Amino acid sequence: MNTFSDIVQTMPPYLFSRFQKKKEELLKLGVDVIDLGIGAPDLPPPSFIIEALKEALDAPEHYTYSPYGGCREYREAVARFYEREYGVKLDPETEVLALIGSKEGIVHLLQAVLNSGELALVPDPGYPVYRTAVHFARGQSRSLPLDAQHGYIPRFDALPSSVYDQAKIMFLNYPSNPTAAAVDLDVLAEAVSLARRHRMFIAHDAAYSFVTFAGFQAPSILQVDGAKEVAVEFGSLSKSYNMAGCRIGYVVGNRDMIRALSVIKSNTDTCQFIPIQKAAVAALMNGQTFIRENSRIYEQRMNRMVEKLRELGIDVQRPKATFFLWIPVYDGYSSERFAAKLLEEAGVIVTPGTAFGPAGEGYVRVSLSAPLERLEQAVERWKQVNWEESAP
């Protein structure tokens, strides 16, 4: 007898798992695999964050349950961070909520916002968790189209007004995973205006806002007048401070959405381990010098990779932010076949664009989360592959 839920049975296949399985097979055969598919930092957090964590671990009172919404000190640190970086004032009690990583918060937010069958707009190509979150909430996903011709900026006019009238929530993600596209505040202002006009929520995923290059400063959607009426913004310490395994993030903005999310969370978890929240406070209050140095390392890697890939005749754009490159595949190859050939014949993992939605076809995502010498080795191996062999 089948005892599993229809949510599990109808869950879309997770393309990343197939490539990880192939990686394990090659490693067992002694192949030196270079993994440029993972979207996680390879660098450690700064020592002052580690020291703050160690100090917090020595306090016996930190082994109790955390407050459901996060420690007051952490929520206040997020609020001060937003005022310092964006000039945005937040109430730590009602407009800030601690998360066990922003991925967790995104999934739970959809359960708090959507009823069965209700519509969510998700970027295509976009982070796969958005569609997964809609699926868990038994909602319906509709693609918000993005394309290279328009710089992967949302083409809001590509959807009829009737779709926005039906939509309950719209996801945005800038700087973008996977395309590395970035936007100015006027694009976010257009989104807020659209949402207010159609009585629709916005969830802006800003996980990469502080991995930026050449003086670019990524805006917060909360800098837009009236944004708090319709929008929340997700932040993560994973990328900016190299704390991915700590699973600590936050959501800020619309207090009604945050209150609804807190209802879900208080019934499913008791927030993150207090010492990790204390370490996050240290990061937010003292980490700006580190953020700049971290971005400088990724920028050095990015510049070198763009240079080397262009030498191979690949038309790769130089991004303003994130540690990803969004690269067109060779003629005659699908995204998945291109990635498979690179793995099988060169031992290099990249992520097929179709992992991020149908509009990702024709591209692969390359992560810069590897030392410079490994990135250069990957390009040299790339060069040795016989790409003239037509894809089946």
Side-chain angles (χ1 to χ4, degrees):
M1 187 173 83
N2 193 335
T3 59
F4 300 110
S5 74
D6 57 351
I7 288 180
V8 171
Q9 293 180 68
T10 57
M11 181 67 65
Y14 199 55
L15 190 60
F16 294 91
S17 62
R18 295 220 310 268
F19 280 82
Q20 287 304 309
K21 183 178 180 181
K22 183 64 177 179
K23 174 184 176 180
E24 292 169 6
E25 292 172 356
L26 291 173
L27 288 172
K28 288 178 182 177
L29 295 173
V31 176
D32 176 28
V33 177
I34 302 176
D35 191 346
L36 306 183
I38 190 168
D42 63 304
L43 299 165
S47 59
F48 76 87
I49 293 179
I50 296 172
E51 290 304 314
L53 177 59
K54 288 179 180 178
E55 182 179 346
L57 288 171
D58 285 336
E61 65 270 21
H62 291 163
Y63 289 82
T64 187
Y65 290 124
S66 165
Y68 288 114
C71 297
R72 174 78 189 192
E73 184 184 2
Y74 176 55
R75 287 181 281 116
E76 288 179 342
V78 172
R80 289 197 297 271
F81 180 84
Y82 261 73
E83 186 165 12
R84 185 183 74 222
E85 297 299 320
Y86 300 119
V88 171
K89 291 185 179 295
L90 296 169
D91 180 350
E93 284 296 325
T94 61
E95 296 177 334
V96 181
L97 186 68
L99 302 174
I100 308 177
S102 55
K103 181 178 182 180
E104 170 265 310
I106 288 166
V107 172
H108 281 143
L109 177 70
L110 268 292
Q111 295 174 18
V113 169
L114 285 185
N115 292 307
S116 179
E118 288 186 325
L119 186 66
L121 302 179
V122 297
D124 181 14
Y127 184 38
V129 169
Y130 306 144
R131 290 184 187 273
T132 300
V134 176
H135 180 79
F136 277 134
R138 301 180 186 270
Q140 297 184 44
S141 294
R142 173 79 180 255
S143 291
L144 180 66
L146 310 175
D147 58 45
Q149 180 181 353
H150 296 86
Y152 294 102
I153 293 172
R155 293 188 290 121
F156 295 119
D157 60 357
L159 296 177
S161 180
S162 59
V163 170
Y164 294 115
D165 287 335
Q166 296 172 37
K168 190 79 169 286
I169 189 169
M170 174 172 64
F171 276 102
L172 297 175
N173 170 216
Y174 291 100
S176 163
N177 173 22
T179 69
V183 298
D184 294 324
L185 190 60
D186 59 346
V187 173
L188 300 179
E190 184 180 358
V192 168
S193 176
L194 184 72
R196 294 175 71 185
R197 193 161 61 248
H198 292 276
R199 303 177 63 82
M200 171 179 63
F201 290 128
I202 296 175
H204 182 226
D205 180 2
Y208 295 89
S209 285
F210 293 93
V211 182
T212 58
F213 313 131
F216 174 71
Q217 293 182 316
S220 164
I221 197 169
L222 298 185
Q223 291 174 287
V224 177
D225 288 343
K228 284 185 185 180
E229 296 177 22
V230 294
V232 292
E233 185 162 81
F234 288 93
S236 169
L237 281 76
S238 295
K239 314 304 190 293
S240 304
Y241 302 98
N242 302 334
M243 296 175 69
C246 292
R247 307 314 305 137
I248 185 70
Y250 55 80
V251 61
V252 295
N254 181 274
R255 63 183 61 199
D256 294 328
M257 294 173 72
I258 286 175
R259 183 168 57 248
L261 174 55
S262 71
V263 170
I264 298 291
K265 284 182 58 60
S266 65
N267 282 282
T268 54
D269 67 64
T270 46
C271 203
Q272 184 52 276
F273 185 36
I274 292 174
I276 290 176
Q277 294 186 58
K278 298 289 186 179
V281 171
L284 292 169
M285 300 311 298
N286 304 295
Q288 292 314 98
T289 299
F290 173 79
I291 281 178
R292 289 191 291 271
E293 175 59 20
N294 206 44
S295 293
R296 188 196 65 78
I297 293 170
Y298 285 124
E299 186 170 15
Q300 181 186 32
R301 294 176 180 182
M302 180 269 293
N303 285 333
R304 187 63 176 152
M305 279 294 280
V306 168
E307 174 188 331
K308 299 291 284 184
L309 289 168
R310 285 178 176 174
E311 288 175 2
L312 297 183
I314 297 172
D315 181 23
V316 55
Q317 300 300 306
R318 193 183 302 274
K320 294 180 180 179
T322 80
F323 47 65
F324 299 124
L325 293 176
W326 186 240
I327 297 174
V329 304
Y330 296 131
D331 290 344
Y333 285 89
S334 68
S335 297
E336 192 168 347
R337 175 58 187 150
F338 181 95
K341 186 176 180 70
L342 193 61
L343 175 57
E344 292 162 3
E345 299 186 20
V348 175
I349 296 178
V350 297
T351 306
T354 47
F356 305 98
E361 182 57 86
Y363 291 83
V364 292
R365 190 194 72 179
V366 173
S367 172
L368 301 174
S369 55
L372 191 57
E373 58 270 23
R374 292 293 274 173
L375 294 170
E376 292 179 334
Q377 286 176 17
V379 176
E380 287 303 310
R381 294 186 193 181
W382 191 315
K383 189 186 301 183
Q384 301 306 315
V385 174
N386 180 9
W387 296 105
E388 297 302 317
E389 290 183 356
S390 180

